[in-house]
Amino acid sequence: MAKKSSKTSAGKKPTTRKAPGSPSRSKGGRSSFPAPVVNAAGKHLVIVESPTKAKTINKYLGRDFVVLASVGHVRDLPKSAPKGSKRADHPVPGVDLEHDFQPTYEVMPEKKKTVAQLKKVAKGAADVWFATDLDREGEAIAWHLAQTLEIEPGDAKRVVFNAITKSEITQAFDHPRPIDVNRVNAQQARRILDRIVGYQVSPLLWKKVAGGLSAGRVQSVATRLVVDREREIEAFMPEEYWKIAGYFTVALKKADDLSREWREFLGHLTPGNASPDDEETPGSKSLRDKLAWLGKHESLRAELTELAGKPFDAKDRDAALKAAEVLGFVLEDRLERQDPKAKGPARELLTYRGHLQNTPVFHVSSIQTKRTTTRPYAPFITSTLQQQASNQLGFALQRTMRIAQQLYEGVDVGGDQGQTGLITYMRTDSTHLSGEALGMVRDYIGREFAPEYLPEKPNFWASKANAQEAHEAIRPTDVRLTPSRVRHALSDEQFKLYDLIWKRFVACQMPPAQWDSTTVLIDARDRNAPSADTKPKAVFKATGRILVFDGFYKIVGLPGGGDEAMLPQLAEQQPLAPLQVDPTQHFTSPPPRYTEASLQKKLEEEGIGRPSTYAAIIGTIQDRKYVQTFLPRDRRLMATDLGKVVTDKLIEGFPEIMDVAYTRNMEEELDKIEEEDHDWVSMLKQFYGPFKERLEHAMEAMTHAKAETQPAPYKCPQCGAATEYRFGKSGRFLSCTRYPDCKYAAPIDVEGKPMGSEVTDIVCPVDGSAMVKRSGRFGPFLSSENYPEVKFILNLDKKGGVKLPKVPALATEEKCPKCDAPLNMRRSKRGPWLSCSRFPKCRGRAAWSALDEAQQATLEAALEKHEKENPQPEIKTVEGKVVEEGYMPHVEQQAGEGLET
């Protein structure tokens, strides 16, 4: 075994220990190494990250190998400066800013037992193999382990494989390589760069915004994308436009009856039905409903595209009505209503109702049918898997990656195969498929489907230029392991994701689907028009398509959610009878809010982040409360007030770091360290000089967020003065401009409107008032309307349920087995229990069953007396129902105070 080297990057010999990664991936969900006695004397020791991966690999290697797991990273930069030192002397713990950014790494506290055992086992082993994942972070973990076990990177036996199968494992162990120091240095530079930004910009936010905030090089740019989109939506002013739809039938003799049935179907003939016929109104008919009805009644829908020889483009209601009247529309009623939540013209909603009279003559002037194809999608890469799992399965990005990790590491499928890796490596941006994989799937398609479902040649897709995370797309390791065949071995979520991956892989090697797409033009002419050669009064256009050959849809199923029309049999010059001419109001829409999937796609398009980081980036900005879902159980994301303020301050202080293009260029520079052997220290120096100057200037010149205000359109209900928006630790709120002389303040909703109290159905046992939901430093709680004069409160759990008041703990004379402090006694559903009075500093406990009967009896009696002396009030609802633990209070939002100026 090689001796320890002090080298930490190519050509450098610093005195400190170094390693490149961060512990962002915890393999197997465990924090420490299981401690069985392992004897590897004379055998090959193989180290992987995950116990599950170790179990799967072990069955392929034989008795001469021992496979152990590090459970992710074993070393990291320290979280804080050394004890006794000043923070100013160590602004970035573990990174020496004055000496070429030399990092010092230490064994993570929870991994000390793991490292000790790995060292012990390695001493007796014939050699050590590092079989961690094949991306940068996997290389970093291997490098950490090599340093810890005193093995030179150049002497290390590094093996990588894209799938945990016998052939991949055998090939990898037949061709070991050294640890790639360029990949190590690239990961090291990324780690140090992110730590510099995080540890030096976060204190700026504490000083200029609020305590406890944090910043990140990539996460802050991701937050900016959401903030910018939110402000686009806020600034967007909708514009009104109108469409005119024509509904026609080829059944001329039944036209009158069909017209009446159509109006009955829409509800236009129902007495008292005044709801507008639009898809946003409850009870109205959707476009899909209308097309289904038309398809069953030899009818079709078309849109007006040309009027009087010019393209139809009505921007207002009067122009639309005039155009409809030209086509025989007779107005019966104007249904108007207000939408107070909309802006500008969109507040005034209008629906025209009417019937047809003296219509022009309609006939089919043109039919064009064109054969079109839909090509199958490329096999999954990390980003597309995350997007599809979000859109089709509703999985959050991090959930998708957790499940994919399980499928990659292996599950026990039973039979002769046992523990088996089901998919290839799931952190990749390459759509490449190996020759073996192509042969496997084409053989499967040829056996299971008709000949026309197997193309003459394999399908290929181009990967993006800088694809580098892995060698292949995400695919099943064995296509014969169909989802139905392994269903018994998978959880519901594992099955859903595996089914998605398996079908996408098979479909990508099947032929395109074929459609007959038809475009029909319908002319409207005056009944007394002298000749068919004259220009038509109006032209309507209808489209539809019919699936001719399903191709790859055979395996993935036809796409849902479409509004494709089924057209009746038509011929050129065929006359049509109108059922309805319908002018409808529309408004332009703002850009849509991001979802996790669409934000991930945007990050990928902008070149920000890498396959292994997308889920962590988006999860982090939500955990930090910079971004939140728009509504409960809504996947759309919106920027919070905190996210906006933090973003504005970071743009003010560091416009380059917060720039999307700058961040993309930085990612490219990190790639060059790996691919072109660029010097990572020089790259960090080029970054840090301007960054340090910006930081020092911002610390001195930047104003505090609390000092910045915005005028609000309300008057103070207490003194009549104007109000303004201020920023506090809980976000923006409405405040009187005469503060502190006037103390009026009110929370606001997402639109900036003042919110009243959130009154619940629980009665305060002290003063009998309805309890109000409030927020404090420890989270939401319930209190009296007269709080803080009435101090009684009820805490809420993480789900918002009530935590009933409990009898305070009884101090006993029993001693804590850990620190010798007195033990406190409490009662639970399972009976009395004893815990240290110094909790949470000490978590010592004593087993109740270990006490003798006399001690138990004495303590029981003391607890009963203590409970009688400290009775807790009974909590009830306004209806007199006794509230139980976890009760979800009914909350009613009271109207906010204040008047618009």
Side-chain angles (χ1 to χ4, degrees), residues 706-718:
K706 292 183 179 180
E708 298 175 353
T709 62
Q710 291 179 313
Y714 303 98
K715 289 184 179 179
C716 175
Q718 295 183 4

Side-chain angles (χ1 to χ4, degrees), residues 347-365:
R347 288 176 177 265
E348 306 293 332
L349 303 180
L350 172 63
T351 300
Y352 288 132
R353 286 283 173 80
H355 64 275
L356 295 180
Q357 183 176 314
N358 298 325
T359 62
V361 176
F362 297 94
H363 72 273
V364 177
S365 62

Side-chain angles (χ1 to χ4, degrees), residues 616-663:
I617 291 169
I618 296 173
T620 297
I621 63 177
Q622 293 181 77
D623 292 341
R624 292 175 178 174
K625 309 300 183 186
Y626 298 155
V627 169
Q628 67 183 29
T629 54
F630 182 60
L631 293 170
R633 295 179 295 278
D634 188 333
R635 285 185 288 172
R636 292 176 297 168
L637 301 175
M638 65 173 291
T640 63
D641 288 332
L642 179 60
K644 293 176 184 177
V645 171
V646 168
T647 297
D648 289 343
K649 289 299 176 185
L650 291 179
I651 292 174
E652 178 185 345
F654 309 95
E656 294 88 359
I657 292 179
M658 293 295 290
D659 182 68
V660 172
Y662 179 88
T663 307

Side-chain angles (χ1 to χ4, degrees), residues 510-735:
M510 296 179 79
Q514 297 181 27
W515 305 82
D516 274 347
S517 297
T518 301
T519 300
V520 178
L521 297 183
I522 301 170
D523 282 358
R525 297 177 181 274
D526 285 331
R527 293 184 179 275
N528 56 356
S531 170
D533 295 332
T534 60
K535 287 186 178 181
K537 176 181 288 188
V539 177
F540 286 82
K541 180 179 179 180
T543 59
R545 66 176 183 171
I546 298 174
L547 184 67
V548 177
F549 173 62
D550 55 359
F552 72 97
Y553 288 135
K554 185 79 171 179
I555 194 73
V556 297
L558 287 171
D563 291 315
E564 295 294 339
M566 295 296 293
L567 300 176
Q569 290 293 327
L570 297 169
E572 290 192 7
Q573 303 306 315
Q574 180 176 3
L576 300 175
L579 303 179
Q580 180 189 11
V581 170
D582 187 16
T584 54
Q585 183 188 42
H586 301 269
F587 299 96
T588 54
S589 300
R593 285 188 166 86
Y594 288 113
T595 62
E596 283 195 358
S598 61
L599 179 57
Q600 183 273 333
K601 185 177 182 180
K602 178 67 174 178
L603 291 172
E604 183 185 31
E605 290 173 351
E606 295 290 352
I608 299 173
R610 288 297 179 262
S612 58
T613 63
Y614 294 135
I617 291 169
I618 296 173
T620 297
I621 63 177
Q622 293 181 77
D623 292 341
R624 292 175 178 174
K625 309 300 183 186
Y626 298 155
V627 169
Q628 67 183 29
T629 54
F630 182 60
L631 293 170
R633 295 179 295 278
D634 188 333
R635 285 185 288 172
R636 292 176 297 168
L637 301 175
M638 65 173 291
T640 63
D641 288 332
L642 179 60
K644 293 176 184 177
V645 171
V646 168
T647 297
D648 289 343
K649 289 299 176 185
L650 291 179
I651 292 174
E652 178 185 345
F654 309 95
E656 294 88 359
I657 292 179
M658 293 295 290
D659 182 68
V660 172
Y662 179 88
T663 307
R664 177 173 57 248
N665 293 337
M666 188 68 70
E667 295 283 0
E668 293 171 355
E669 289 298 316
L670 291 167
D671 289 343
K672 289 178 181 178
I673 295 172
E674 174 184 339
E675 298 163 6
E676 302 176 20
D677 197 21
H678 282 205
D679 182 45
W680 65 273
V681 174
S682 297
M683 183 272 239
L684 289 175
K685 286 181 177 178
Q686 291 175 5
F687 163 80
Y688 190 67
F691 169 80
K692 184 178 180 181
E693 292 180 7
R694 286 276 189 186
L695 181 66
E696 291 172 349
H697 176 75
M699 282 290 188
E700 295 299 323
M702 185 180 289
T703 58
H704 198 287
K706 292 183 179 180
E708 298 175 353
T709 62
Q710 291 179 313
Y714 303 98
K715 289 184 179 179
C716 175
Q718 295 183 4
C719 70
T723 58
E724 61 190 1
Y725 295 118
R726 289 181 172 272
F727 182 79
K729 60 183 179 182
S730 299
R732 282 203 316 161
F733 65 96
L734 191 66
S735 171

Side-chain angles (χ1 to χ4, degrees), residues 807 861-872:
V807 175
L863 183 58
E864 288 180 6
K865 180 182 178 183
H866 176 70
E867 289 172 339
K868 291 179 180 179
E869 293 173 349
N870 295 273
Q872 296 303 300

Side-chain angles (χ1 to χ4, degrees), residues 4-50:
K4 180 179 180 180
S5 170
S6 61
K7 290 185 179 181
T8 57
S9 63
K12 297 183 181 293
K13 292 186 177 182
T15 57
T16 54
R17 296 172 300 166
K18 296 166 61 179
S22 71
S24 61
R25 291 216 298 261
S26 178
K27 304 294 181 183
R30 298 162 65 181
S31 60
S32 61
F33 186 81
V37 176
V38 178
N39 182 6
K43 296 184 178 182
H44 307 287
L45 172 62
V46 181
I47 304 177
V48 298
E49 308 99 309
S50 160

